[in-house]
C-alpha cells in the first residue's frame, strides 16, 4: 500500500484510500509444500482507467512483491556451526539428501490491509515526507478454530513500526528457522534452540528507487546475506543436509522460484 | 532435551534480522533498524499445528502482511 500511495502522490493520481486483501492457501509443489496467494487491491478515488493501470503496475513491482514473485532477491547463504566452522553455500548440487521430516503445513487464511490515512507526513511546504502506516489483520484457520493477529508496517518518522521490506525478510528468517527446526535430523546432544538465522539487507536506494522502479515496472535486484547457525559441527550436521533443508523452505522457494501469486485484481471500489 | 547453551537473541549488527526458536515451535524474530531512534521491532511467529494454539501467525503470513502494507 505505501508504495502505491507514494507512486500516486508523485504521479498526481487522486488516490484517496486503498485496501489490500490476500487469500492464502497451501500449495503442493514438486517435493515441497508451499503456499499461494490471491490478491485484491481496492483503490478509492476518482481513478481513471489509465491511472488504475499505472497503480496496478506499481502494486506488482513494489519491493516486497518483487521479492516474493519476481525473483528480485540475490541471496548469499552462509552456514556456521556452533563448533565455530563457517562456510559459504554454493549452488545446490543435484544429489542432496532426502530429509524425512515435513515442513509445517501452511494453514489457509486471509490477510487484510487497511491504510491509515492520517499517518501521512508532510513538511511545511506540503511535500509528502513519509507515506504513512498500514494496519494488517491476519486470520488463519485450522481444524478446530480460527486465530487472528494484527501487524503494522509502513514509513513514518516515529520509528515505532517497521518498514514493509524488512518485515518481509523477518518472515523469511522466521520461516527458515521453522523449516530447519523440522527438517534437520539433530541428535540427542544437539539442541534445536541453538539454531539461529541472521539476515543482512542492502537497503541502498531507499524510497526513490523503490517507488521509481515500481512506477516504471522495473525489477531491482537486492542483495541479502542469510547466515544459518546450526548446532553441532560439519560432521554431525553435514552441509548437504542444511542445504537440502533450506531448499524446502516456503519463503526461500518463493524468493527463488516465484509462482505464489495465483490471482490478482486491482479494482476501483 | 539437551541443555540450552545458546547465547541470547541479540542484534549484533545494524540493519540485521535475527530469528531464533524460543520453545516448542515458536520463533522470535528481531529487526534491527541501524538507527537508535527507531525500532528494534520484534515479531513472534508460531507454527501451524492441526490442533495447537499458536503464539503468533505462521511466518509466511508475516511476509504476506508486509506485502499488503
Amino acid at each position: 500500500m505505501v508504495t502505491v500511495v507514494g507512486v500516486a502522490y508523485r504521479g498526481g493520481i487522486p488516490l484517496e484510500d486503498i485496501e489490500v486483501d490476500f487469500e492464502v492457501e497451501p500449495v503442493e509443489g514438486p517435493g515441497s509444500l508451499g503456499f499461494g496467494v490471491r490478491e485484491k487491491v481496492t483503490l478509492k478515488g476518482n481513478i481513471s482507467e489509465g491511472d488504475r493501470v499505472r497503480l496496478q503496475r506499481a502494486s506488482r513491482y513494489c519491493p516486497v512483491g518483487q521479492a516474493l514473485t519476481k525473483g528480485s532477491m540475490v541471496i548469499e547463504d552462509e552456514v556456521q556451526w556452533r563448533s565455530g566452522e563457517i562456510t559459504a553455500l554454493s549452488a545446490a548440487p543435484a544429489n542432496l539428501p532426502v530429509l524425512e521430516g515435513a515442513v509445517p503445513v501452511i494453514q489457509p487464511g486471509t490477510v487484510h490491509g487497511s491504510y491509515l490515512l492520517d499517518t501521512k507526513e508532510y513538511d511545511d511546504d506540503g511535500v509528502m515526507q513519509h507515506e504513512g502506516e498500514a494496519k494488517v489483520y491476519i486470520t488463519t484457520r485450522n481444524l478446530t478454530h480460527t486465530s487472528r493477529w494484527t501487524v503494522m508496517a509502513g514509513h513514518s518518522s516515529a520509528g515505532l513500526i517497521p518498514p514493509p521490506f524488512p518485515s518481509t525478510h523477518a518472515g523469511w528468517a522466521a520461516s527458515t528457522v521453522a523449516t530447519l527446526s523440522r527438517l534437520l535430523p539433530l541428535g540427542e546432544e544437539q539442541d534445536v534452540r541453538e539454531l539461529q538465522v541472521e539476515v543482512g539487507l542492502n537497503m541502498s536506494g531507499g524510497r526513490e528507487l523503490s517507488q521509481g522502479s515500481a512506477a516504471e515496472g522495473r525489477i531491482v535486484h537486492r542483495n541479502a546475506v542469510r547466515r544459518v547457525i546450526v548446532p553441532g559441527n560439519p560432521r554431525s550436521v553435514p552441509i548437504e543436509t542444511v542445504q537440502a533443508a533450506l531448499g524446502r523452505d516456503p519463503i526461500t522457494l518463493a524468493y527463488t522460484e516465484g509462482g505464489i501469486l495465483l490471482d490478482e485484481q486491482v479494482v476501483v471500489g | 532435551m539437551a541443555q540450552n547453551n545458546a547465547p541470547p537473541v541479540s542484534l549484533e549488527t545494524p540493519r540485521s534480522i535475527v530469528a531464533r526458536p524460543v520453545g516448542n515451535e515458536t520463533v522470535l524474530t528481531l529487526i534491527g533498524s541501524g538507527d537508535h531512534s527507531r525500532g528494534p521491532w520484534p515479531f513472534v511467529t508460531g507454527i501451524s499445528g492441526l490442533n495447537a494454539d499458536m503464539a503468533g501467525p505462521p511466518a509466511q503470513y508475516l511476509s504476506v502482511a508486509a506485502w499488503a502494507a
Side-chain angles (χ1 to χ4, degrees):
Chain A
M1 281 183 283
V2 293
T3 298
V4 173
V5 167
V7 168
Y9 173 78
R10 285 165 178 77
I13 298 172
L15 177 66
E16 295 174 2
D17 200 357
I18 181 172
E19 293 183 351
V20 176
D21 289 278
F22 286 101
E23 294 180 7
V24 181
E25 57 191 76
V27 172
E28 190 165 355
S32 63
L33 268 178
F35 66 104
V37 299
R38 300 180 190 278
E39 178 187 30
K40 182 178 182 183
V41 178
T42 304
L43 309 170
K44 298 183 179 177
N46 186 20
I47 309 289
S48 68
E49 175 58 15
D51 286 342
R52 187 198 66 79
V53 171
R54 291 167 67 191
L55 295 182
Q56 181 177 41
R57 182 168 58 221
S59 172
R60 286 176 177 168
Y61 285 86
C62 75
V64 176
Q66 288 194 24
L68 285 168
T69 68
K70 300 190 184 306
S72 67
M73 296 306 301
V74 179
I75 301 168
E76 297 175 44
D77 276 324
E78 298 175 352
V79 178
Q80 181 177 349
W81 290 266
R82 287 292 179 189
S83 56
E85 296 91 337
I86 184 169
T87 188
L89 281 184
S90 53
N95 57 343
L96 287 174
V98 177
L99 304 178
E100 292 184 356
V103 297
V105 174
I106 298 172
Q107 299 171 348
T110 60
V111 172
H112 172 75
S114 56
Y115 182 62
L116 304 179
L117 290 169
D118 60 355
T119 59
K120 289 181 186 175
E121 297 178 39
Y122 298 88
D123 66 13
D124 292 340
D125 297 323
V127 177
M128 183 184 284
Q129 297 299 298
H130 297 284
E131 290 74 17
E133 302 170 350
K135 178 177 64 177
V136 184
Y137 294 146
I138 298 171
T139 304
T140 66
R141 301 180 296 276
N142 67 13
L143 290 177
T144 58
H145 60 276
T146 299
S147 302
R148 303 166 187 83
W149 298 272
T150 303
V151 173
M152 294 187 68
H155 298 291
S156 57
S157 60
L160 295 172
I161 64 169
F165 194 62
S167 299
T168 301
H169 299 303
W172 179 37
S175 177
T176 302
V177 168
T179 298
L180 294 176
S181 298
R182 284 289 192 96
L183 295 183
L184 289 184
L186 300 180
E188 285 287 324
E189 70 284 2
Q190 293 154 348
D191 189 340
V192 72
R193 290 173 296 179
E194 292 184 341
L195 272 174
Q196 180 163 303
V197 172
E198 303 171 352
V199 173
L201 296 173
N202 179 354
M203 302 290 285
S204 61
R207 180 172 58 187
E208 296 299 325
L209 179 61
S210 296
Q211 294 182 6
S213 60
E216 297 165 8
R218 174 167 50 90
I219 293 176
V220 174
H221 292 287
R222 294 175 168 87
N223 295 90
V225 176
R226 176 174 58 173
R227 176 178 293 176
V228 177
I229 303 172
V230 299
N233 57 56
R235 291 161 296 285
S236 59
V237 183
I239 189 170
E240 295 82 6
T241 301
V242 178
Q243 204 159 10
L246 291 175
R248 288 175 58 185
D249 174 61
I251 297 285
T252 303
L253 288 169
Y255 280 0
T256 55
E257 299 179 6
I260 68 167
L261 186 58
L262 305 176
D263 185 46
E264 176 210 39
Q265 297 179 63
V266 177
V267 301
V268 178
Chain B
M1 179 178 288
Q3 183 179 357
N4 179 19
N5 295 316
V9 175
S10 63
L11 294 166
E12 298 170 357
T13 57
R15 288 203 179 284
S16 65
I17 298 166
V18 179
R20 289 272 298 277
V22 290
N24 293 326
E25 296 193 342
T26 304
V27 178
L28 171 63
T29 304
L30 286 175
I31 303 175
S33 66
D35 173 356
H36 291 302
S37 67
R38 302 164 56 78
W41 300 287
F43 292 98
V44 174
T45 49
I47 308 305
S48 59
L50 291 181
N51 293 296
D53 285 331
M54 297 166 65
Q60 296 78 21
Y61 277 77
L62 177 56
S63 291
V64 176
W67 188 4

